[in-house]
Amino acid sequence: MRTKLVAGNWKMHGSLAANLGLLHAVRDGAGGAAEVALCVPYPYLAQAQAALNGSKVAWGAQDVSEHAQGAWTGEVSAAMLADFACRYVLVGHSERRSFFGDTDAVVAAKFVAARKAGLVPILCVGESLAEREAGITGEVVTRQIDAVLGGCEITDFAKAIVAYEPVWAIGTGRTASPEQAQEVHALIRSRFAREDAAIAGGLRILYGGSVKAGNAAELFGQPDIDGGLIGGASLVAADFLAICAAAA
């Protein structure tokens, strides 16, 4: 049985003052069987570590450099994230792919860097609205996965997570129906099963795309959906905790 995971992605939101109440509320309210994590902006990793250390809630970052060290001004390495006891790091989020030019090859390199540092990468994959309407969702998602598989061992996914995030459903209020989401999650699992059935069976695949308290239970009830990657709702403690409760 795969343990559900609900991971919050704060994106570029927060302040030291505002974060404290949110971190404490999530820390104190998280319970049940589901695992909970918060991926916060780099400047707030120390604050998250201090607030969440010893609690049920894990923390992580929203991106990582593919480089280990060197003259890469503005970049943050996986080892630096490990210094703050991060468990998770997002790689290949659609906003990184769309706005910052992260290619499939760059995402693959970031995944490898994260694993080498002992982090659990949350590999984000998903299609745009144009790609869904063109009927090539499966091709796009498979290409994104294959790029990473080409740069690592299948065993790396024993300590990794995949998040399916249809780009057309992020921050738009539109959500893939539970059946649409399940179809892609099943496709993702079948792709990994071609490499290793045991790893595919244990792989946690999250859904990300306008998940709210009102639709979380139905989404998480699908056989291949193992939790959620939560954006806007993770900024409101009550909303985020209600989603966590739906996964328990």
Side-chain angles (χ1 to χ4, degrees):
M1 181 67 71
R2 297 181 299 272
T3 302
K4 292 283 199 297
L5 168 66
V6 179
N9 173 18
W10 286 5
K11 305 192 180 185
M12 199 174 73
H13 296 284
S15 69
L16 285 172
N19 297 348
L20 199 58
L22 178 56
L23 288 165
H24 286 172
V26 173
R27 178 197 66 191
D28 296 341
E35 293 182 10
V36 179
L38 294 173
C39 293
V40 307
Y42 293 138
Y44 303 131
L45 286 173
Q47 185 186 32
Q49 181 182 16
L52 301 176
N53 190 40
S55 76
K56 178 184 174 63
V57 183
W59 59 94
Q62 299 170 11
D63 191 27
V64 64
S65 176
E66 65 267 41
H67 305 292
Q69 62 179 6
W72 304 103
T73 301
E75 290 289 272
V76 176
S77 74
M80 293 173 183
L81 300 182
D83 269 348
F84 289 92
C86 289
R87 182 182 302 172
Y88 299 105
V89 61
L90 305 181
V91 294
H93 190 280
S94 63
E95 290 160 4
R96 298 301 312 177
R97 294 179 188 264
S98 298
F99 303 137
F100 298 99
D102 281 14
T103 64
D104 289 344
V106 167
V107 172
K110 289 182 175 184
F111 181 97
V112 171
R115 284 296 308 124
K116 283 183 177 178
L119 303 175
V120 178
I122 300 177
L123 171 64
C124 301
V125 299
E127 82 285 11
S128 67
L129 179 59
E131 289 165 338
R132 171 161 282 274
E133 290 179 340
I136 58 172
T137 294
E139 295 173 35
V140 171
V141 170
T142 300
R143 185 201 75 226
Q144 292 169 339
I145 292 170
D146 286 352
V148 178
L149 285 172
C152 70
E153 302 295 329
I154 185 62
T155 50
D156 283 309
F157 278 90
K159 294 184 178 180
I161 290 165
V162 174
Y164 168 57
E165 44 163 28
V167 180
W168 48 271
I170 298 174
T172 63
R174 299 180 61 174
T175 309
S177 70
E179 294 76 21
Q180 286 174 317
Q182 164 60 24
E183 181 181 12
V184 182
H185 279 240
L187 179 150
I188 291 169
R189 199 175 305 283
S190 68
R191 174 63 191 92
F192 284 97
R194 283 164 35 201
E195 306 295 327
D196 188 301
I199 286 176
L203 178 66
R204 289 190 288 182
I205 308 173
L206 312 182
Y207 173 74
S210 298
V211 178
K212 298 178 176 60
N215 61 22
E218 190 174 7
L219 284 163
F220 298 164
Q222 300 300 308
D224 288 297
I225 298 180
D226 304 310
L229 178 58
I230 314 302
S234 69
L235 299 171
V236 180
D239 294 345
F240 185 66
L241 290 170
I243 293 170
C244 293

